[in-house]
Amino acid sequence: MKLATLKTGGRDGQLIVVSRDLSRCQPVPAVARTLQAALDDWQHCVPQLGEVYAALNNGAARHAMPFVEEQCHSPLPRAYQWADGSAYLNHVELVRKARGAELPPSFWTDPLIYQGGSDSFIGPRDPIHALSEDWGIDLEAEVAVITGDLAMGATADECAGAIRLLMLVNDVSLRQLIPGELAKGFGFFQSKPASAFSPVAVTPDELADAWRGCKLHLPLCVEINGQPFGRPNAGEDMTFDFSQLLAHAARTRELEAGSIIGSGTVSNRQGNLHGSSIAHGGVGYCCLAELRMYETIEKGAPQTGFLKFGDSVRIEMLNGDGQSIFGAIEQTVTPHRAAL
Amino acid sequence: MKLATLKTGGRDGQLIVVSRDLSRCQPVPAVARTLQAALDDWQHCVPQLGEVYAALNNGAARHAMPFVEEQCHSPLPRAYQWADGSAYLNHVELVRKARGAELPPSFWTDPLIYQGGSDSFIGPRDPIHALSEDWGIDLEAEVAVITGDLAMGATADECAGAIRLLMLVNDVSLRQLIPGELAKGFGFFQSKPASAFSPVAVTPDELADAWRGCKLHLPLCVEINGQPFGRPNAGEDMTFDFSQLLAHAARTRELEAGSIIGSGTVSNRQGNLHGSSIAHGGVGYCCLAELRMYETIEKGAPQTGFLKFGDSVRIEMLNGDGQSIFGAIEQTVTPHRAAL
């Protein structure tokens, strides 16, 4: 099943069911007005949402209308939780290596996760607003899950069963604000502004055998300014699967339905800089910071800048038939009106 | 105006208006079913909520019923944002001093704030559940504000005008999990489980001249197991006022209505351990960690343990007439069922 949220209808938008091929959609106000409402009462809503989905796919939906990704907000325009793991340790190892540090052994057994802000996500086709290019604006292309309710101390198996939906994420990061902020010891805050999610959220069954072991085994396609930048496989080199990330998040507190947990920047282990870029036959990168780390390791200093005003980012994932699964995140970096 | 949330009515509870003396209350389903709904449309709702409040206070409310703190959830049972400052630098300085480190000078000009989890708060009279006493269970008594909408880059003045409500908080902390978690560099996650808020949230005008300079100038009263433990004045030694904390939080992203921002553990600068405890004429502490830091500085090691199963905590604030402003947070530490 595929679900999305139109911008109409207030702060939480309007829930729609979307056809598998992303061509048609239908609001379902009699079932649930918002995605959060559906998640709050998932077992009750799923059969009815499933009927609409089946009707949309076989052309029998009575109130179908064209699906337009540009009309979508993030599936949850605001959420009660957004926490982001860092499950691709290649990414973490590179960060450390670029500053001459080793990866602590515990990182292979104890997941990293940070608490993100969830009160106001940006839409998948909305601008990435910033007050200054000097903030070091970067993308982070990731996969995320939306959970049902989970009790404190839930096991990984219990967590696997509570994964309701999957989405793509652009976890926008302000690289130049990170070192100062992390040095203060309390983690990210200003350096992690609002994230954007893919127009469409899909149930795990929609991914067929690409969803196995609580990992999504498909390439994540990233473009910057229309040029291919990354296509690493999100199922490879993921040290902690989503069930393990969720169990870590639920160790000391319950997770309420609608919690979003991210994978961290997708990253595949590769040889070196020239073997890594798409132009040289590699799978490329899901953030500029990673490319800059390869450059630092190989050339002593980063060669590529961060995003500038006017730069655009596109994040998408295709199924085996080349069709978009989640729709595309497509955003342009734009000065916030307070900066003008 | 005073507002609270009954546990009836689903995940977000039922909004009630509470009389100034906390004796009576009235649901307001025709105005807003939940506190978040009122915050989403504050300008529209406030006049109608104010009429009910006036009627409750002068005995003219037609649907008044007794107000029972035990029936309350936290005013926002779940929220789209909970971020906690650390504005009482005495507290931060003590942490550092106990481990022989100086306070970085930038800490006096650049607020510390961490992103907390907000998907499932605990009620003001609900147990503090934990799987193990070995987690080092501690209270942190604080003041918090709930905001309206704030744009990215909002000034401190703009932020001051967007403070809708105030509450008390118990920011439960798991001290023994903090060092390992902070060493990983991404801030708190497992070490900051669900927080609890006071039964009642109040508008700033309710505090009269105790609310000035965006600080709440009244003692915060803390008891542990029925014994006085702390009564520091929340208006003293607060290095950053709430408008400054909000401006810091809004620097790189907007804050959506219903965001909760905390003060950090209230702490007054005092002489030494024996001059600090209430038994010795001081104002005491708002967390056990602070007492343990004084003990470490003076005696080489902490003498007081953290909370054990069965221990209780009470947090309250009284006005000049000795009446409770927010009602009381009163919680007992209890093993989670998964620990039994």
Side-chain angles (χ1 to χ4, degrees):
Chain A
M1 189 163 59
K2 299 195 175 192
L3 302 173
T5 295
L6 295 180
K7 287 186 170 180
T8 48
R11 293 174 183 264
D12 297 300
Q14 179 179 30
L15 176 64
I16 51 174
V17 181
V18 183
S19 63
R20 180 169 291 124
D21 66 0
L22 308 187
S23 69
R24 297 175 307 285
C25 65
Q26 182 172 308
V28 282
V31 185
R33 291 176 57 194
T34 67
L35 178 54
Q36 183 64 50
L39 289 159
D40 284 347
D41 197 13
W42 189 250
Q43 300 306 337
H44 177 74
C45 293
V46 157
Q48 299 171 73
L49 296 173
E51 284 177 25
V52 175
Y53 185 57
L56 277 167
N57 287 332
N58 65 27
R62 289 186 300 173
H63 304 289
M65 54 190 199
F67 176 65
V68 181
E69 294 184 32
E70 287 74 8
Q71 295 174 347
C72 289
H73 208 307
S74 285
L76 289 170
R78 52 182 180 174
Y80 295 106
Q81 176 152 241
W82 158 234
D84 198 11
S86 193
Y88 298 87
L89 284 188
N90 182 55
H91 176 81
V92 183
E93 210 165 17
L94 276 173
V95 180
R96 302 251 163 178
K97 199 168 174 185
R99 63 173 199 244
E102 293 292 311
L103 198 67
S106 67
F107 275 40
W108 294 98
T109 54
D110 183 31
L112 259 183
I113 194 165
Y114 81 88
Q115 188 79 57
S118 55
D119 59 313
S120 54
F121 297 130
I122 42 180
R125 301 300 177 98
D126 289 342
I128 297 168
H129 280 129
L131 289 173
S132 170
E133 291 178 335
D134 295 341
W135 285 349
I137 305 156
D138 198 0
L139 69 150
E140 286 196 348
E142 313 185 1
V143 177
V145 300
I146 305 179
T147 76
D149 292 307
L150 278 166
M152 184 189 297
T155 64
D157 275 353
E158 289 166 342
C159 291
I163 295 173
R164 300 284 182 250
L165 294 162
L166 287 101
M167 305 182 287
L168 307 181
V169 196
N170 182 9
D171 180 43
V172 179
S173 299
L174 303 175
R175 301 291 178 194
Q176 303 296 15
L177 303 187
I178 289 180
E181 200 152 52
L182 294 194
K184 291 160 71 180
F186 273 23
F188 307 104
F189 196 92
Q190 292 180 336
S191 51
K192 290 285 188 178
S195 298
F197 295 84
S198 52
V200 177
V202 313
T203 48
D205 63 293
E206 206 53 54
L207 301 160
D209 64 353
W211 176 249
R212 55 183 191 273
C214 283
K215 301 178 183 180
L216 180 45
H217 294 265
L218 284 171
L220 183 58
C221 303
V222 178
E223 290 180 2
I224 296 181
N225 294 328
Q227 298 301 309
F229 184 72
R231 55 176 183 214
N233 191 306
E236 292 176 16
D237 300 322
M238 189 184 192
T239 303
F240 305 102
D241 66 41
F242 278 106
S243 74
Q244 294 169 304
L245 293 176
L246 292 178
H248 184 85
R251 184 176 166 225
T252 63
R253 51 174 160 129
E254 60 183 51
L255 303 185
E256 191 149 326
S259 290
I260 307 172
I261 310 289
S263 65
T265 309
V266 175
S267 176
N268 288 169
R269 195 169 299 279
Q270 305 187 70
N272 54 27
L273 175 62
H274 290 297
S276 304
S277 71
I278 288 181
H280 289 79
V283 298
Y285 321 96
C286 283
C287 66
L288 285 160
E290 195 163 307
L291 171 56
R292 289 165 54 93
M293 290 182 278
Y294 276 109
E295 291 170 344
T296 300
I297 294 164
E298 299 199 357
K299 302 183 177 180
Q303 313 291 310
T304 307
F306 291 115
L307 297 172
K308 301 291 182 193
F309 293 139
D311 284 346
S312 67
V313 169
R314 185 181 167 92
I315 300 170
E316 196 169 20
M317 185 177 270
L318 308 179
N319 66 14
D321 299 328
Q323 291 179 314
S324 184
I325 299 172
F326 302 94
I329 296 172
E330 196 169 325
Q331 306 184 280
T332 300
V333 182
T334 306
H336 187 267
R337 64 176 185 278
L340 299 175
Chain B
M1 190 162 60
K2 300 195 175 192
L3 301 172
T5 295
L6 295 179
K7 286 185 171 180
T8 49
R11 293 174 184 263
D12 296 299
Q14 180 178 28
L15 177 64
I16 51 174
V17 181
V18 183
S19 64
R20 180 168 291 124
D21 66 0
L22 308 187
S23 70
R24 297 175 307 286
C25 66
Q26 181 171 309
V28 282
V31 184
R33 292 176 57 194
T34 67
L35 179 54
Q36 182 65 48
L39 289 158
D40 284 347
D41 198 13
W42 189 249
Q43 300 306 337
H44 177 74
C45 293
V46 157
Q48 300 171 74
L49 297 174
E51 284 178 23
V52 176
Y53 185 58
L56 278 167
N57 287 332
N58 65 27
R62 290 186 299 174
H63 304 289
M65 54 190 198
F67 176 64
V68 182
E69 294 184 30
E70 287 74 8
Q71 296 174 347
C72 290
H73 209 307
S74 285
L76 289 169
R78 53 182 180 173
Y80 295 107
Q81 175 151 243
W82 157 234
D84 198 10
S86 193
Y88 299 87
L89 284 189
N90 183 54
H91 176 81
V92 184
E93 210 164 18
L94 276 172
V95 180
R96 302 249 163 180
K97 200 169 173 185
R99 62 173 200 242
E102 293 291 311
L103 198 67
S106 67
F107 275 39
W108 294 98
T109 53
D110 183 31
L112 258 183
I113 195 165
Y114 81 87
Q115 188 78 58
S118 56
D119 58 314
S120 55
F121 297 131
I122 43 181
R125 301 300 178 97
D126 289 343
I128 298 169
H129 280 129
L131 288 173
S132 170
E133 291 178 336
D134 295 341
W135 285 349
I137 305 155
D138 199 359
L139 68 150
E140 287 197 346
E142 313 186 1
V143 177
V145 300
I146 304 179
T147 76
D149 292 307
L150 278 166
M152 183 190 297
T155 65
D157 276 353
E158 289 166 342
C159 290
I163 294 173
R164 300 283 182 251
L165 294 162
L166 287 101
M167 306 181 287
L168 306 181
V169 196
N170 183 9
D171 180 43
V172 180
S173 299
L174 302 175
R175 301 292 178 194
Q176 303 297 14
L177 303 187
I178 289 180
E181 200 152 52
L182 293 195
K184 291 159 71 180
F186 273 24
F188 307 105
F189 195 92
Q190 293 180 335
S191 51
K192 290 286 188 179
S195 298
F197 295 84
S198 53
V200 176
V202 313
T203 48
D205 62 294
E206 206 54 53
L207 301 160
D209 64 354
W211 176 249
R212 54 183 192 275
C214 283
K215 300 178 184 181
L216 179 44
H217 295 264
L218 284 171
L220 183 58
C221 303
V222 178
E223 290 179 3
I224 296 180
N225 294 329
Q227 299 300 309
F229 184 72
R231 54 177 185 213
N233 191 305
E236 293 176 17
D237 299 324
M238 190 185 191
T239 304
F240 305 102
D241 67 40
F242 278 107
S243 74
Q244 293 170 305
L245 293 176
L246 292 178
H248 184 85
R251 183 176 167 224
T252 62
R253 51 175 162 129
E254 61 183 48
L255 302 185
E256 192 149 324
S259 290
I260 307 172
I261 310 289
S263 66
T265 309
V266 175
S267 176
N268 287 170
R269 195 169 299 278
Q270 304 187 70
N272 53 28
L273 175 61
H274 289 296
S276 305
S277 71
I278 288 181
H280 289 80
V283 299
Y285 322 96
C286 285
C287 65
L288 286 160
E290 194 164 307
L291 171 56
R292 288 166 54 94
M293 289 184 278
Y294 276 110
E295 290 170 344
T296 300
I297 293 165
E298 298 198 358
K299 302 184 178 181
Q303 313 290 310
T304 306
F306 291 115
L307 297 173
K308 301 290 183 193
F309 292 139
D311 283 347
S312 67
V313 169
R314 185 181 166 92
I315 300 171
E316 196 169 20
M317 185 175 272
L318 308 179
N319 67 14
D321 298 328
Q323 292 179 313
S324 183
I325 299 171
F326 302 94
I329 297 172
E330 196 171 325
Q331 308 183 279
T332 300
V333 182
T334 306
H336 187 268
R337 65 176 185 278
L340 299 175

